Amino acid sequence: MSALAPTLQAFFTQRLASQLHASANTVAAYRDAWRLLLRYAQDRTGKQPCQLDLADLGAPTVADFLDHLEHDRGNSVRTRNARLAAIRSFFRYAALCHPEHAGLIARVLAIPAKKAERRELCYLSQPEADALLAAPDRDTWTGRRDHALLDAAIDTGLRVSELTGLRNRDVELGAGAHLNCAGKGRKRRSTPLRKQTAAVLAAWMKERGGGPDDPVFPTRRGARISRGAVGRLVARHTAVAAAHCASLNAKRVTPHVLRHSCAMSLLTQGVDTAVIALWLGHFSGVPDPCKSARPNRPAGPRQELFRLPCTTGKL
């Protein structure tokens, strides 16, 4: 048996799952990266994945694989670097298990990440956000679910994985309405809700029903909605909204753009960037934003929001 197969299995079952206690999203991302690499090595060598050895995944093969991702699969530099991070993590583990391959492993670990260009930050203006929220057909069950999901996304700035992971028990609609979520890095936080969004969620959850552990935004069959499904529904409703708001035609709206929109709304109200980072779950070891970081928002509908020009950078 080759050294690769048992080491790769131990990397996922012991190193990631048991020792590092990696999140499900991290494990899935690493799994996908290795699926692609093993398929590429199989096509290149003619060997089945179970027959591949560490020598078949040397630095030249890995470098060619990274070029394949960019040029053949059309992946961005950021995606290329994320795949490389998954490969490096395994080879650092393999260096401890197989010191006899130290030279090969060192050459793989020496492959550098590429510098990525900073893309222009895309977010929704006030009319665009209103048009998107009006797009779902609220005469249907699916439309009411989508409207509640979009409203929650724009108001709270939750990541798509945080939205799909929400359970009924995570929604507090009483005094100090907020959402509890498990964020990136297994950090839990509470994100406040505006009265309008709390009312939308209250109506939806009354219709949705279910137990405390059921997903807030389920599929028709009651299962947790997938990240891909959220991306598709955002794209679908954006296409509908573009008929009434032409500026949406020039934007590629994704669930992460809704997160940017929340950040920009806070920024235009004069909220400190440190508080925005806390709000979005970028800080650790900071107070609960529901209790200490909620800014005084202007009364009435969404006013004075989204007025800054597009900037570069990451929020």
Side-chain angles (χ1 to χ4, degrees):
M1 179 183 293
S2 73
L4 177 63
T7 308
L8 190 58
Q9 179 176 341
F11 172 70
F12 278 96
T13 59
Q14 297 177 22
R15 183 66 166 179
L16 292 182
S18 299
Q19 297 175 6
L20 298 180
H21 193 48
S23 68
N25 289 333
T26 298
V27 173
Y30 281 24
R31 176 204 64 200
D32 293 343
W34 274 93
R35 277 179 174 174
L36 292 172
L37 177 57
L38 293 175
R39 187 177 298 118
Y40 178 80
Q42 178 183 0
D43 294 340
R44 181 177 176 135
T45 64
K47 296 180 181 180
Q48 293 295 319
C50 61
Q51 298 172 326
L52 292 170
D53 205 342
L54 284 172
D56 297 313
L57 300 179
T61 300
V62 173
D64 290 344
F65 167 69
L66 296 174
D67 289 339
H68 161 74
L69 292 179
E70 287 190 78
H71 302 139
D72 298 332
R73 292 181 61 86
N75 291 158
S76 67
V77 172
R78 294 178 186 276
T79 299
R80 179 256 192 205
N81 289 343
R83 303 301 191 199
L84 177 58
I87 296 170
R88 281 176 168 175
S89 181
F90 166 76
F91 274 94
R92 283 193 293 268
Y93 173 72
L96 302 175
C97 302
H98 298 285
E100 69 274 17
H101 293 290
L104 179 150
I105 292 171
R107 287 188 289 274
V108 173
L109 293 177
I111 297 175
K114 276 191 176 181
K115 291 185 177 180
E117 292 183 0
R118 289 184 177 272
R119 294 172 294 182
E120 187 177 74
L121 183 66
C122 183
Y123 63 95
L124 301 184
S125 67
Q126 177 65 54
E128 291 166 347
D130 290 341
L132 180 59
L133 289 175
D137 181 5
R138 278 174 273 177
D139 290 333
T140 66
W141 182 91
T142 302
R144 291 189 290 274
R145 179 203 64 189
D146 293 355
H147 174 74
L149 187 153
L150 293 172
D151 201 352
I154 293 173
D155 188 40
T156 64
L158 294 186
R159 299 178 178 91
V160 64
S161 59
E162 295 167 350
L163 280 169
T164 60
L166 285 174
R167 303 289 177 175
N168 286 340
R169 66 170 182 267
D170 298 326
V171 183
E172 175 57 56
L173 298 175
H178 62 274
L179 299 179
N180 295 307
C181 71
K184 194 173 183 179
R186 297 182 296 278
K187 294 180 292 186
R188 296 200 65 87
R189 71 182 189 280
S190 298
T191 305
L193 295 169
R194 292 179 310 132
K195 289 184 178 180
Q196 298 94 317
T197 305
V200 169
L201 283 175
W204 163 246
M205 294 188 68
K206 182 177 180 180
E207 176 180 2
R208 188 259 177 273
D213 292 327
D214 290 331
V216 175
F217 304 113
T219 64
R220 274 288 187 182
R221 301 190 178 191
R224 170 178 167 175
I225 193 171
S226 69
R227 296 172 63 181
V230 174
R232 289 190 292 273
L233 74 85
V234 169
R236 183 173 66 252
H237 294 309
T238 299
V240 174
H244 306 283
C245 185
S247 60
L248 284 171
N249 289 311
K251 296 184 178 181
R252 181 175 176 268
V253 182
T254 66
H256 208 70
V257 168
L258 307 185
R259 180 169 164 83
H260 291 167
S261 302
C262 173
M264 291 303 294
S265 76
L266 296 172
L267 190 62
T268 56
Q269 294 175 70
V271 180
D272 187 83
T273 54
V275 175
I276 297 175
L278 180 149
W279 188 291
L280 299 179
H282 288 169
F283 278 5
S284 60
V286 290
D288 187 339
C290 185
K291 297 177 181 178
S292 62
R294 181 69 172 182
N296 293 323
R297 311 196 87 173
R302 302 165 189 243
Q303 53 188 349
E304 302 299 323
L305 304 185
F306 310 107
R307 289 191 177 178
L308 289 185
C310 280
T311 59
T312 58
K314 181 178 180 180
L315 288 171

